[in-house]
């Protein structure tokens, strides 16, 4: 799953601006792989499985969630792109407006690189923790983006999402049924929402990437359980990581724990390496899978 063979599929990053796309297509129809190509192209960047079923697929109609109290997400207004001081180093993709996808070949960092990784990861965690304190009914995700943006540049770093494939904001804010990579806008958070905040910073030539889901006000027990089991799945997967552990065991660990509580796992997004590039090998699937993607696609 981490080799550089041209026969091995690569998942393109879905870090683009489309939101809330629904699809009933099976996985095999969402991806197109041609032998000899280095990438698997993705037709849609957002589909839904049992993991988000209680927040999306169980709706009685397009506009209301099951409790009938809250309407489904609608895109709000976007504010202008926030400036970054000229002295702050930009990632190479910023000038191109092209999403580079997942780089072939895993990055192996030397001691200096590891120290840079620790610094960027530490800053990303600090920004994420502060962003979480802002979550309350009435605040807009754009206001969260503004604070995150300022905190990152005040620390001499660049907000990695900004300009990645044309992404217009400095943080991803994914509310309720939006699985990931949501774009901050003018929509105020509502009592009972859950929101994932995904922070990535580019500091001294290295990306630090982290996210967490926060509760807004009085959140239902169903939503709390969803977040709880998801976090447990993450923690269990992290706990088995060690030299020599196969990547497929990470996916199986996540899948088994989610399945134990009756949840599915979103298969259209993947874990990835991070370092000098935003998205790098290894590609880590979050469900029980074959040892390599070539075998996986042959099987389906």
């Amino acid at each position: 799953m981490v080799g550089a063979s041209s026969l091995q599929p690569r998942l393109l990053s879905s870090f683009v601006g489309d939101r809330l796309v629904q699809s009933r297509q099976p996985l095999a129809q969402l991806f197109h792989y041609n032998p000899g190509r280095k990438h698997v192209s993705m037709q849609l960047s957002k589909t839904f499985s049992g993991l988000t079923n209680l927040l999306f697929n169980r709706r009685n109609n397009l506009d209301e969630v099951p409790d009938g109290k809250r309407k489904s997400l609608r895109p709000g207004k976007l504010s202008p792109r926030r400036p970054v001081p000229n002295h702050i180093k930009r990632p190479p993709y910023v000038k191109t407006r092209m999403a580079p996808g997942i780089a072939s070949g895993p990055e192996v960092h030397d001691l200096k690189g590891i120290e840079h990784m620790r610094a960027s990861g530490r800053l990303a965690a600090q920004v994420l923790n502060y962003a979480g304190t802002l979550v309350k009914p009435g605040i807009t995700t754009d206001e969260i983006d503004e604070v995150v943006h300022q905190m990152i540049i005040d620390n001499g770093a660049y907000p990695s999402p900004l300009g990645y494939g044309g992404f217009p904001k400095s943080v991803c804010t994914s509310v309720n049924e939006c699985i990931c990579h949501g774009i901050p806008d003018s929509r105020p958070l509502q009592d009972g929402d859950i929101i994932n905040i995904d922070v990535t910073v580019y500091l001294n030539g290295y990306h630090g990437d982290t996210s967490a889901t926060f509760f807004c006000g009085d959140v239902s027990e169903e939503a709390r359980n969803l977040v709880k089991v998801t976090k447990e799945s993450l923690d269990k997967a992290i706990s088995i990581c060690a030299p020599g552990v196969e990547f497929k065991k990470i996916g199986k660990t996540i899948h088994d724990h989610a399945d134990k509580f009756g949840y599915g796992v979103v298969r259209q997004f993947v874990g990835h390496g991070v370092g000098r590039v935003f998205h790098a090998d290894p590609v880590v699937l979050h469900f029980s899978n074959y040892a390599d993607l070539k075998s996986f696609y042959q099987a389906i």
Side-chain angles (χ1 to χ4, degrees), residues 41 58 81 92 99 109 148 158 163 169 173 178 226 229:
S41 61
R58 292 182 187 172
R81 177 169 171 159
H109 304 288
V148 167
Y158 184 90
K169 293 297 176 180
T173 52
C178 181
L226 171 68
V229 172

Side-chain angles (χ1 to χ4, degrees), residues 196-252:
N196 181 270
I197 301 177
D198 188 346
V199 173
T200 313
V201 306
Y202 185 67
L203 179 66
N204 298 321
Y206 287 79
H207 296 274
D209 190 4
T210 186
S211 76
T213 300
F214 300 92
F215 300 133
C216 182
D218 185 16
V219 175
S220 71
E221 192 65 24
E222 279 189 304
R224 288 181 179 273
N225 287 336
L226 171 68
V227 175
K228 177 177 179 289
V229 172
T230 304
K231 180 61 163 57
E232 290 171 349
S233 298
L234 171 66
D235 291 341
K236 287 179 177 292
I238 291 173
S239 72
I240 69 164
C241 291
V245 174
E246 295 178 304
F247 296 119
K248 65 179 181 181
K249 291 185 179 180
I250 300 174
K252 186 177 188 304

Side-chain angles (χ1 to χ4, degrees), residues 29-232:
Q29 294 179 19
L30 288 171
F31 292 88
H32 291 278
Y33 170 61
N34 295 322
R37 293 186 61 188
K38 292 184 178 181
H39 291 85
V40 178
S41 61
M42 191 172 188
Q43 296 302 102
L44 295 175
S45 67
K46 301 269 191 296
T47 57
F48 302 91
S49 78
L51 183 62
T52 52
N53 189 44
L54 73 91
L55 291 175
F56 191 85
N57 290 332
R58 292 182 187 172
R59 290 181 182 163
N60 297 321
N61 56 53
L62 183 63
D63 292 322
E64 292 186 356
V65 292
D67 62 12
K69 298 178 182 178
R70 190 170 60 251
K71 291 185 177 180
S72 60
L73 291 178
R74 290 291 185 270
K77 295 181 180 179
L78 296 182
S79 62
R81 177 169 171 159
R82 295 187 165 89
V84 176
N86 291 332
H87 71 273
I88 292 178
K89 184 176 181 179
R90 274 100 166 131
Y93 54 76
V94 172
K95 294 181 180 179
T96 67
R97 294 184 62 83
M98 296 293 292
I102 294 180
S104 297
E107 291 190 282
V108 178
H109 304 288
D110 58 18
L111 291 178
K112 183 178 180 180
I114 291 172
E115 285 305 309
H116 284 314
M117 286 290 297
R118 290 185 188 279
S120 59
R122 187 180 304 113
L123 176 58
Q126 291 169 347
V127 174
L128 177 65
N129 287 339
Y130 185 67
T133 68
L134 304 175
V135 174
K136 61 182 180 180
I139 192 171
T140 68
T141 50
D142 186 65
E143 289 172 322
I144 294 174
D145 179 81
E146 181 179 16
V147 173
V148 167
H149 178 91
Q150 192 63 47
M151 186 172 178
I152 292 173
I153 64 174
D154 283 349
N155 283 275
Y158 184 90
S160 301
L162 186 62
Y164 185 93
F167 194 84
K169 293 297 176 180
S170 299
V171 67
C172 297
T173 52
S174 304
V175 180
N176 297 339
E177 68 266 28
C178 181
I179 296 174
C180 61
H181 304 158
I183 302 174
D185 59 23
S186 62
R187 178 192 181 273
L189 292 181
Q190 299 176 17
D191 185 59
D193 283 345
I194 60 174
I195 175 173
N196 181 270
I197 301 177
D198 188 346
V199 173
T200 313
V201 306
Y202 185 67
L203 179 66
N204 298 321
Y206 287 79
H207 296 274
D209 190 4
T210 186
S211 76
T213 300
F214 300 92
F215 300 133
C216 182
D218 185 16
V219 175
S220 71
E221 192 65 24
E222 279 189 304
R224 288 181 179 273
N225 287 336
L226 171 68
V227 175
K228 177 177 179 289
V229 172
T230 304
K231 180 61 163 57
E232 290 171 349

Side-chain angles (χ1 to χ4, degrees), residues 9 11 27-28 31 33 40 292-300:
L11 297 179
L27 180 66
F31 292 88
Y33 170 61
V40 178
D292 63 85
L293 288 176
K294 180 183 176 183
S295 298
F296 173 67
Y297 279 95
Q298 288 174 343
I300 62 174

